[in-house]
Amino acid sequence: MNDSDFKYMKEAIAADVAELLTKDLDINIIKALNILYNSQTYSKLNDPDTGLYFQSSGYVYSFLKNELKTGNLG
């Protein structure tokens, strides 16, 4: 996998997760992206060594929901 593929997969998941946040929390996309980009979950998604970019958006979102609920990834 090259850097371009990784970037595309990461951004596609981030877009999906941000959209899920807007629906679940009834917030706008700017707030959702701010939450996502400042999360530990996004840090993990941004690290190709974790393999999180290769998971489904729902799976990544479950990590973010847990992080928001507990304050950490668990």
Side-chain angles (χ1 to χ4, degrees), residues 2-53:
N2 62 39
D3 287 341
S4 179
D5 292 337
F6 168 71
K7 184 178 177 182
Y8 175 79
M9 292 175 77
K10 177 186 69 170
E11 289 177 359
I13 290 172
D16 290 346
V17 169
E19 185 176 345
L20 290 167
L21 272 175
T22 63
K23 292 176 182 175
D24 281 356
L25 301 180
D26 194 27
I27 58 176
N28 66 40
I29 193 68
I30 301 298
K31 288 182 182 179
L33 288 170
N34 190 39
I35 290 169
L36 174 61
Y37 290 152
N38 290 296
S39 70
Q40 293 175 354
T41 301
Y42 187 73
S43 293
K44 298 292 184 190
L45 179 62
N46 208 31
D47 179 357
D49 292 337
T50 66
L52 197 57
Y53 69 94

Side-chain angles (χ1 to χ4, degrees), residues 48-67:
D49 292 337
T50 66
L52 197 57
Y53 69 94
F54 202 62
Q55 302 299 321
S56 72
S57 299
Y59 184 78
V60 174
Y61 186 57
S62 71
F63 275 90
L64 182 59
K65 284 194 322 186
N66 186 59
E67 180 183 347

